[in-house]
Structures are given as structure tokens and as C-alpha cells.
Amino acid sequence: MIRRWIAVAVALSLVGCGEDPPASPGRFGEVTSAVVLVNPVINQGSTTSVATGGERSGVEFQAEDLTVATDSTGMALVEDLPTGTVTLDFDPGTYSFQVVREKELYDVVLAYRDGTVQPLFPPVRYPLGGEVVEVEPGESIAEAAASDDTIVLLKEGTYPGNLELRAEGVLIFGAWSPTRGPLSVIEGNVTVLGGGNRMRGVKVTGRLTSNANTFSAAFSDIASATITGNGVTLLRNRFTAGQATVPSSNAVLVDNTGIP
């Protein structure tokens, strides 16, 4: 059964039902958190102008009163952040960003070289706003994502394709494991028609096609893809079949595998 909540109540609703939200890199809707990526690979064709190339593993920084270190892939998870200005202190070098609302999630991608911290692009905000819909395996994602600005939470399991996303501003947020990757599997193709749509932590077994503007995908496994449009962001995805066409201008392509 597809279940719906108002976004500000999603965490309380999940706890009240005795269920945990989908595991992911970051705890969206549960605590205020940020996934920090340090010195990622910049893929060919990215418009990113900041250079990387420094250490990735074991890079330490201070976030509020907590000391954090990146793992072997250059990733660190920072939790229980306050709203307002959050400063990451690399000593030397700092970077600050704004947390707008409690229980939101942010992807922060930084270059850290010679004591200087630079963002590769502004933090990606996964906002709480609009309707939140939880979809069980086997149910229709298209039905859940029929309205603009909907947040769709997928559990671990398989979902039917072929999927067309016609609404705008939809966020599809899948279950994810740090050891196994995406656990929410869409069997078949995905076609993105509406602007501003985003996918995070999802596995697509077929072809992902999008010519919509400001599309983004992160932490997802995608068999093959044809992605065009303006303002596209692709962050740490795996293109598993090695058949991906991605934009060569006005795009951010960072830490993806299966594309140059």
C-alpha cells in the first residue's frame, strides 16, 4: 500500500509506525546530515572548474564539536547538524554552508589541496517540502510521483518499469547500503520528462533517458543512459553496462564510474 505524509512529519510518522526510513548515505528525514566527498574524480565533460587530486582517505575535519575522517573513497557522513551556518574546519582551511531545515540532507563536494578548501559546486540540498510518499516493492512509482515536488521513499526490493516521470521537482530516494550500494531496484527503463527531478540511491536495470533540465542522479547504479538537458548533476553513480551518453557542457559530472 502506498502511504503518504506531509514532509515535516515524515520522521515522526515512520517512528510511530515502528519502521525505519530507508538506509542511505545520509539519514534523510531522520536527522540533519551531510555527506561530504573530498577530492573526487572529475569526469570528462564536467564544467567543474576547481581542480582536485589530493588525498582522499583519512582526511580529517571538524564539524561542530565532532572530529570526522573520510573513508577510503573520500566520503564522510556528518550527522546532527544545526540549522543555519555549518562550518567544516580542515585546519588549515574551512568551508561553510547553510542548513535550511531540520532533518534535511546535503551532499557537499570539496577539493582540499595545500591547506585550501574549495567547493566544486554548491551543496546539493535534499529538502523536506511537499508530500512524502512511501512505496512498497512491486507498487507503482509513477503513481506515487504523479504530482510536482513529491518525495518518494523506496524500500529495499524490486519495482516495475518502464517508468516515466512527467511531474516536476520529484525526488526518488532509494534504500542504500554502504557495502551493497542501491537496494531499491527499478526493473526496466526510466524516462525523465519533467524538469528538476532527482534520483538518489536507486538501481535501474534498463536505460535511463532524460532530456529534462536540472536533472540529477546520485549514488545510483544505472545500466545505460542517455542524459542531456541543461544543469545536469551526476554524483557518484555507477554506469554498469558502459553505455552512457552524458552532456558535454553545462553539467557537473563527479566521481562517476563507467563514463570517462
Side-chain angles (χ1 to χ4, degrees):
M1 178 185 297
I2 294 176
R3 292 185 294 173
R4 302 171 184 268
W5 297 279
I6 301 301
V8 294
V10 62
L12 293 177
S13 298
L14 289 168
V15 173
C17 295
E19 299 182 6
D20 295 325
S24 69
R27 296 166 64 190
F28 177 71
E30 185 181 2
V31 299
T32 313
S33 61
V35 172
V36 180
L37 290 175
V38 177
N39 291 327
V41 174
I42 300 175
N43 299 110
Q44 181 177 310
S46 179
T47 57
T48 307
S49 59
V50 176
T52 62
E55 292 294 328
R56 305 194 71 183
S57 176
V59 178
E60 291 190 355
F61 59 92
Q62 196 86 11
E64 299 303 305
D65 296 325
L66 182 67
T67 300
V68 184
T70 59
D71 64 14
S72 60
T73 71
M75 183 171 72
L77 174 62
V78 184
E79 298 181 325
D80 297 315
L81 296 174
T83 56
T85 302
V86 172
T87 298
L88 309 179
D89 186 357
F90 286 76
D91 190 25
T94 63
Y95 174 71
S96 298
F97 65 99
Q98 296 295 313
V99 172
V100 178
R101 193 171 182 174
E102 291 183 349
K103 298 182 175 66
E104 290 186 337
L105 170 64
Y106 295 78
D107 285 334
V108 181
V109 183
L110 303 173
Y112 181 52
R113 302 176 64 185
D114 303 322
T116 300
V117 185
Q118 293 177 283
L120 275 71
F121 48 87
V124 180
R125 177 190 174 200
Y126 298 91
L128 283 172
E131 187 177 33
V132 177
V133 184
E134 185 177 289
V135 185
E136 300 281 346
E139 294 180 337
S140 170
I141 298 175
E143 178 185 344
S147 300
D148 292 351
D149 302 318
T150 302
I151 299 166
V152 179
L153 300 181
L154 305 181
K155 292 188 174 182
E156 178 179 352
T158 301
Y159 297 81
N162 298 315
L163 168 64
E164 288 190 350
L165 294 176
R166 296 183 174 274
E168 298 188 350
V170 173
L171 168 60
I172 297 179
F173 208 96
W176 190 90
S177 163
T179 56
R180 292 187 288 159
L183 304 177
S184 302
V185 181
I186 300 174
E187 290 280 1
N189 302 323
V190 174
T191 302
V192 180
L193 302 172
N197 287 322
R198 291 175 291 170
M199 300 172 56
R200 196 176 194 275
V202 176
K203 181 176 181 179
V204 178
T205 65
R207 176 168 287 273
L208 170 65
T209 303
S210 174
N211 62 0
N213 294 334
T214 63
F215 170 75
S216 74
F219 296 96
S220 294
D221 284 2
I222 301 165
S224 59
T226 301
I227 303 173
T228 57
N230 295 318
V232 171
T233 302
L234 302 179
L235 173 61
R236 194 169 275 205
N237 302 289
R238 296 187 295 186
F239 295 92
T240 56
Q243 298 177 358
T245 301
V246 297
S248 58
S249 62
N250 195 25
V252 175
L253 314 173
V254 174
D255 241 9
N256 300 285
T257 60
I259 60 175

